[in-house]
Amino acid sequence: MKKEDLKIYWDFEKNVPLILKENNDLQEVAKDLRPVFLQEKWLLVNLFSEKLDNTFLEKSVWATKQNRYIVDGKMINIVPTSRFKDMNRDELEKIRKNILEFSIKEEHIEKENEIFNNFILANRKRFNYLLKSESRDGEGQYIGAIPFIVENFEKYRDRITLVSFSGGKDSTVVSHLVRLALNNPSILHIFGDTTLELPKSYEYVKRFQENNPFTPFFEERNEENNFFEMCQEIGPPSRVKTWCCSIFKTGPMGTTIANFDENILTFLGLRRSESLSRSKYKKVSQSPKILKQMVASPIIDWTDLDVWLYILSENLDFNDSYRQGFARVGCWVCPNNGSWSELLSSIYNSEEYDKWYNFLVNFSKKIGKIDYEDYVKDGKWKARQGGDGLEKSTEILVESKECINEKNSKTFILNKPINDDFIQLFKPFGIIKIIEKNRILELIILDKKKNPLFKLMYREDDNKVKVTIMKSEDKYIFNKIQKQFNKFNSCLYCQGCNSACPTGAIYVSSGKYIVDDKKCINCLKCIDKFDSGCLIASALKIKKAMW
């Protein structure tokens, strides 16, 4: 069943939402919903005390993707994000204190359980369809999650099977489905710790490991970099330049998976409804980033409400951040988070939130924003582009000039003396041969047949490099070489290149950039991925004014 065929209706008899195809006899209430737990209800009572009282805790409350609330089948007129924007710091602190002092009563828990049990019973047919359907979708894959998992496990039996575990609801469901379908608790799980997860996410990950002692669990994180220190250097990530994902998530995870000796089948909690880019993913596909990895997504066409139907039906433990009101869990500093997530972070992660807020204000002052408080509070920092106002942005520029007397030659001036990292950066082009003549070093790049492609001439510890193209059919070769110079100028050992390498050939160790030429296949993806050749250079690049 395709997502667009589904609608959410209201069962007024059981006072819960129903996930159905077209039904003219029932009232449609939303395209998708999530349950609202007691902790979030209490927050809403405090935010809207003039409209809501304690009886709200006993009502059947569900939220849309736009964070509008359906209460007992009807949408109510409260917009918490607007209320949050109007609050000052003292008002926010008062709300936070009331929320943290909330004590859940037994009768409230019983009522919540009654609501969720009614939801489970009303949607039992949908639950069975999601798990067991042996119908095929447009890609020829089983619609039912269990036959889908079994079939793909059998098809790729020669591969290591693993689950990518984020601590969110989707990976929680996929983890349970895979272990259930294969009747095997020993499926390897990998958790990519961005170091910026919500406090309840870390609690849940720890709890998951304790409750599943027979499930091998591997944690991967970037040990070389600190998020806040990088923000000081290149500014906070934005919706235009989300440099943090490559450095703290896909880079470390990609390196770990690419360094497995065997081929891999990864079950992923990806869903098409999450974003426009994810809507284009296939249910089973070759990973575009890691050559040895096949990716299978058993819940790719599930709605949010489908995911919660499974969690509640199977009585699964889950990340308590959802109880607090987070619709999605992940990095709490993410520029893609909305005002609602910021409000929740300010309440439940206040110490780190205040640290981040103060950094953003000081950063805004530093780059010359006059209305720096509004710039931060209105979220305008999320739309920033480039390194305007940052000293580091002036260091990424590479000067070059044509060599008048020599064809196909240019001289480049770097911002620092040449070192060992410089040589590593040219391994992706081919075989390296270094010759010394009269204290001048010639770094010659050879193709697989040992034919010279181009050469670099420089003096040790100097910052001038002469590039001569000897034989190359790549008309963009100078541009690609300059991208590596940009990388040399800008490199903060961020591990962004790791995420671009499909074979795990690139890694950072003890402040050194290393390319393993035994693993490198000279695909140049580490150069082509970023528009300036380097993630840091791309993040700092300032658009030229058009006159």
Side-chain angles (χ1 to χ4, degrees):
M1 184 182 292
K2 294 181 181 179
K3 176 182 175 292
E4 58 265 25
D5 293 335
L6 292 172
K7 294 179 181 178
I8 310 299
Y9 298 91
W10 197 263
D11 183 337
F12 283 96
E13 182 182 344
K14 292 186 171 63
N15 201 25
V16 292
L18 281 170
I19 312 165
L20 296 170
K21 284 187 176 182
E22 193 74 33
N23 189 310
N24 296 325
D25 297 327
L26 296 172
Q27 177 184 321
E28 182 185 353
V29 292
K31 297 297 182 186
D32 204 354
L33 291 173
R34 62 175 177 84
V36 176
F37 295 91
L38 287 168
Q39 291 87 336
E40 185 177 357
K41 289 179 182 178
W42 179 244
L43 171 57
L44 294 172
V45 168
N46 279 268
L47 283 174
F48 300 96
S49 56
E50 75 283 5
K51 292 184 178 181
L52 306 175
D53 57 27
N54 286 5
T55 61
F56 187 73
L57 299 173
E58 299 179 0
K59 296 184 181 297
S60 181
V61 186
W62 306 76
T64 69
K65 283 184 175 294
Q66 294 74 34
N67 231 47
R68 302 301 301 273
Y69 292 90
I70 308 293
V71 180
D72 293 342
K74 297 179 180 179
M75 184 175 290
I76 60 172
N77 186 27
I78 59 171
V79 185
T81 51
S82 298
R83 180 62 56 94
F84 173 49
K85 287 181 179 179
D86 293 336
M87 293 169 61
N88 59 40
R89 304 288 282 178
D90 291 337
E91 290 172 325
L92 185 60
E93 180 57 31
K94 183 180 178 181
I95 291 286
R96 192 181 79 85
K97 185 178 179 181
N98 288 342
I99 296 306
L100 296 181
E101 290 177 352
F102 177 51
S103 178
I104 300 175
K105 296 180 179 179
E106 187 64 34
E107 59 262 32
H108 295 147
I109 296 174
E110 290 177 0
K111 184 61 180 177
E112 182 175 80
N113 289 338
E114 178 187 328
I115 292 168
F116 292 152
N117 284 334
N118 285 338
F119 169 65
I120 292 166
L121 291 171
N123 290 280
R124 178 58 62 186
K125 186 176 179 180
R126 174 67 178 170
F127 176 84
N128 290 330
Y129 176 82
L130 290 170
L131 263 64
K132 302 175 183 178
S133 174
E134 295 189 357
S135 299
R136 299 277 182 172
D137 61 20
E139 299 173 37
Q141 301 289 342
Y142 278 120
I143 290 175
I146 289 177
F148 169 82
I149 291 167
V150 171
E151 181 177 60
N152 281 280
F153 173 77
E154 292 294 337
K155 183 176 180 180
Y156 299 105
R157 180 175 281 278
D158 59 332
R159 294 172 177 257
I160 292 178
T161 301
L162 63 85
V163 170
S164 179
F165 190 85
S166 68
K169 66 183 188 305
D170 299 336
S171 64
T172 292
V173 167
V174 169
S175 165
H176 189 265
L177 281 169
V178 170
R179 288 178 289 135
L180 175 69
L182 303 181
N183 193 28
N184 182 0
S186 300
I187 300 295
L188 174 64
H189 284 48
I190 296 185
F191 168 57
D193 178 9
T194 63
T195 71
L196 300 165
E197 310 294 330
L198 291 163
K200 292 296 182 183
S201 295
Y202 288 116
E203 290 178 17
Y204 172 58
V205 168
K206 182 179 179 182
R207 205 163 62 238
F208 180 91
Q209 294 177 75
E210 291 172 349
N211 294 338
N212 298 280
F214 298 108
T215 301
F217 200 93
F218 187 79
E219 298 185 33
E220 182 56 66
R221 66 181 61 85
N222 183 335
E223 303 282 7
E224 299 282 338
N225 302 103
N226 177 279
F227 174 77
F228 285 96
E229 290 175 2
M230 293 205 68
C231 286
Q232 292 284 359
E233 287 268 4
I234 64 174
S238 69
R239 289 175 176 171
V240 182
K241 299 288 184 181
T242 50
W243 52 260
C244 44
C245 289
S246 293
I247 296 172
F248 293 99
K249 187 175 182 179
T250 58
M253 281 282 283
T255 300
T256 297
I257 293 174
N259 280 313
F260 275 69
D261 292 331
E262 298 88 351
N263 290 329
I264 298 163
L265 170 64
T266 299
F267 285 103
L268 195 63
L270 181 144
R271 292 187 298 115
R272 289 180 174 131
S273 63
E274 291 178 295
S275 68
L276 180 61
S277 61
R278 294 186 179 188
S279 68
K280 300 172 184 176
Y281 279 71
K282 291 185 176 181
K283 201 167 184 177
V284 180
S285 63
Q286 164 71 52
S287 169
K289 296 178 181 178
I290 303 168
L291 294 179
K292 61 178 67 175
Q293 179 180 228
M294 290 296 297
V295 176
S297 304
I299 64 170
I300 197 166
D301 288 317
W302 288 25
T303 64
D304 278 352
L305 202 53
D306 287 332
V307 173
W308 283 111
L309 175 61
Y310 187 84
I311 290 172
L312 297 170
S313 296
E314 293 296 299
N315 196 28
L316 301 184
D317 184 20
F318 59 89
N319 191 323
D320 286 329
S321 298
Y322 294 112
R323 297 185 184 277
Q324 295 171 342
F326 287 93
R328 297 177 68 180
V329 300
C331 300
W332 60 269
V333 296
C334 182
N336 291 312
N337 288 341
S339 297
W340 177 245
S341 292
E342 290 180 30
L343 169 61
L344 295 172
S345 292
S346 70
I347 293 172
Y348 294 109
N349 192 25
S350 59
E351 187 175 336
E352 288 297 303
Y353 176 84
D354 287 344
K355 176 183 174 182
W356 179 235
Y357 181 86
N358 291 332
F359 165 78
L360 290 174
V361 170
N362 291 329
F363 171 79
S364 303
K365 290 180 183 178
K366 179 180 176 181
I367 63 174
K369 298 296 179 183
I370 298 173
D371 56 342
Y372 49 85
E373 287 275 6
D374 292 336
Y375 182 78
V376 174
K377 194 164 186 179
D378 293 342
K380 293 177 182 177
W381 64 273
K382 299 176 183 179
R384 59 178 289 274
Q385 297 187 49
D388 193 18
L390 293 172
E391 182 180 347
K392 184 74 177 174
S393 65
T394 63
E395 299 175 2
I396 66 171
L397 303 175
V398 176
E399 296 181 38
S400 67
K401 60 181 180 179
E402 299 278 352
C403 296
I404 299 173
N405 298 323
E406 292 187 57
K407 187 179 180 182
N408 295 330
S409 295
K410 285 185 180 182
T411 299
F412 293 84
I413 300 177
L414 311 178
N415 68 4
K416 59 184 177 182
I418 293 166
N419 57 26
D420 292 341
D421 287 348
F422 181 83
I423 297 172
Q424 296 291 322
L425 292 173
F426 287 90
K427 286 184 177 180
F429 286 100
I431 302 166
I432 288 181
K433 181 180 180 182
I434 299 178
I435 302 172
E436 184 174 0
K437 293 181 180 179
N438 300 323
R439 294 196 299 177
I440 295 177
L441 295 169
E442 286 189 8
L443 189 155
I444 304 171
I445 303 296
L446 310 173
D447 65 17
K448 293 178 180 179
K449 295 181 179 180
K450 304 294 181 69
N451 297 315
L453 299 173
F454 62 88
K455 67 178 180 180
L456 313 177
M457 298 177 65
Y458 56 92
R459 294 182 185 275
E460 199 168 353
D461 296 327
D462 197 5
N463 68 333
K464 293 181 181 179
V465 183
K466 179 182 175 183
V467 178
T468 301
I469 307 302
M470 302 167 80
K471 182 184 178 182
S472 176
E473 296 178 0
D474 187 348
K475 63 180 180 180
Y476 300 111
I477 189 66
F478 266 128
N479 177 261
K480 291 176 180 178
I481 292 170
Q482 181 159 344
K483 283 184 174 183
Q484 294 302 79
F485 290 153
N486 290 341
K487 191 176 295 182
F488 180 74
N489 272 1
S490 309
C491 187
L492 295 175
Y493 307 105
C494 74
Q495 301 194 50
C497 294
N498 301 30
S499 66
C501 181
T503 62
I506 300 174
Y507 60 98
V508 172
S509 178
S510 303
K512 294 288 185 182
Y513 185 99
I514 300 169
V515 177
D516 186 341
D517 40 18
K518 293 180 181 178
K519 291 183 177 180
C520 180
I521 58 174
N522 309 120
C523 65
L524 302 186
K525 288 185 177 179
C526 56
I527 300 172
D528 294 334
K529 180 174 181 178
F530 308 110
D531 58 4
S532 296
C534 167
L535 178 60
I536 302 301
S538 298
L540 290 169
K541 187 177 180 181
I542 300 172
K543 285 189 175 182
K544 294 180 180 179
M546 300 294 291
W547 302 101

